[in-house]
Amino acid sequence: PYQGHVTYLKDNGIYIFDMELGKYVYLSPQFTQLLGHSLNDLMVLGADEFAALFHFDDWEALQVHMQEVAEAEDGEILEIEYRFKTADGRWQWCLSRDSVFDRDEEGKVSQVIGTFLDISERKRMEEPLRDREAMYRGLVDMSPAIIGAVGFDGRILYNSPSAAAFHGVESAEELVGQPFANLVFPEDQPMAAEAIKTVMQQG
């Protein structure tokens, strides 16, 4: 019944989700092809069985997302990334963009239309980057030297843990957001400001 309202996109699966039923009521061929579930497969599942198709670690974010969709304005598009179990038991990373499709007589969102994109390959490529970032952050955190980052507005973005004892605060995070100049001896501030200006201009 929804075929006339839905435009098929080559790289995206399309679905309509019924908020009251808590299930999909329409799936485009692309969605079925990417995840292996047919609409009939999903419709016969109980609420708990259907919920189990979403990764447990993503449930909290999904619940927040659905609440935001329920409160969304017409035409507003909300995104979320999550893992969904395929018909053969694999966890596949998905990117969904959801929007209000229909409302009930009281104006509450009754159905949501969304597009689904398989982002598993992108996630696999991001994992080594996250591992390297964690390694570098670990090295910085363990360094006895004070390592920090200052934004173009002159405010502190990051300080390594060793900065806490040096500046007499309990946590280096207390320094984040403060002007860097506040940590410099007044007579040395012009010299420090010139040094920072040189770095910003010359790299």
Side-chain angles (χ1 to χ4, degrees), residues 6 22 42 52 70 89 109 136 143 153 176 183 191:
V6 179
L42 298 177
V109 177
Y136 293 140
S143 173
D153 61 356
V176 174
L183 303 180
M191 178 179 63

Side-chain angles (χ1 to χ4, degrees), residues 1-166:
Y2 301 100
Q3 301 254 358
H5 301 284
V6 179
T7 302
Y8 179 74
L9 302 178
K10 180 179 179 182
D11 297 324
N12 292 267
I14 297 177
Y15 54 84
I16 295 174
F17 186 85
D18 190 287
M19 300 287 275
E20 183 176 347
L21 295 176
K23 291 183 179 182
Y24 298 111
V25 293
Y26 171 82
L27 296 176
S28 70
Q30 183 72 358
F31 190 107
T32 299
Q33 178 184 342
L34 291 169
L35 294 176
H37 300 285
S38 70
L39 178 58
N40 288 336
D41 291 339
L42 298 177
M43 289 300 290
V44 298
L45 296 178
D48 292 341
E49 293 174 310
F50 181 78
L53 295 176
F54 295 90
H55 199 285
F56 179 79
D57 291 343
D58 301 326
W59 249 110
E60 184 175 350
L62 283 162
Q63 290 175 321
V64 171
H65 174 76
M66 293 309 295
Q67 182 61 39
E68 291 175 345
V69 173
E71 298 170 357
E73 300 291 334
D74 290 350
E76 187 177 357
I77 298 174
L78 301 173
E79 292 188 355
I80 185 171
E81 296 179 1
Y82 58 93
R83 284 158 288 188
F84 194 82
K85 185 179 287 187
T86 63
D88 60 4
R90 294 177 294 108
W91 289 110
Q92 191 155 314
W93 274 102
C94 312
L95 168 65
S96 282
R97 295 183 175 95
D98 295 322
S99 186
V100 176
F101 183 68
D102 198 12
R103 297 180 183 273
D104 61 21
E105 295 179 354
E106 298 178 355
K108 296 180 180 179
V109 177
S110 58
Q111 291 184 335
V112 175
I113 186 168
T115 60
F116 155 88
L117 184 65
D118 176 9
I119 58 170
S120 300
E121 184 61 29
R122 192 196 83 191
K123 285 292 187 178
R124 281 192 288 270
M125 294 175 66
E126 288 176 352
E127 190 170 345
L129 295 177
R130 288 196 299 269
D131 291 343
R132 282 199 293 272
E133 181 181 350
M135 180 185 70
Y136 293 140
R137 176 58 65 92
L139 292 173
V140 168
D141 287 350
M142 290 187 295
S143 173
I146 296 175
I147 302 172
V150 178
F152 284 102
D153 61 356
R155 294 184 179 275
I156 296 170
L157 299 175
Y158 169 79
N159 260 325
S160 58
S162 54
F166 183 84

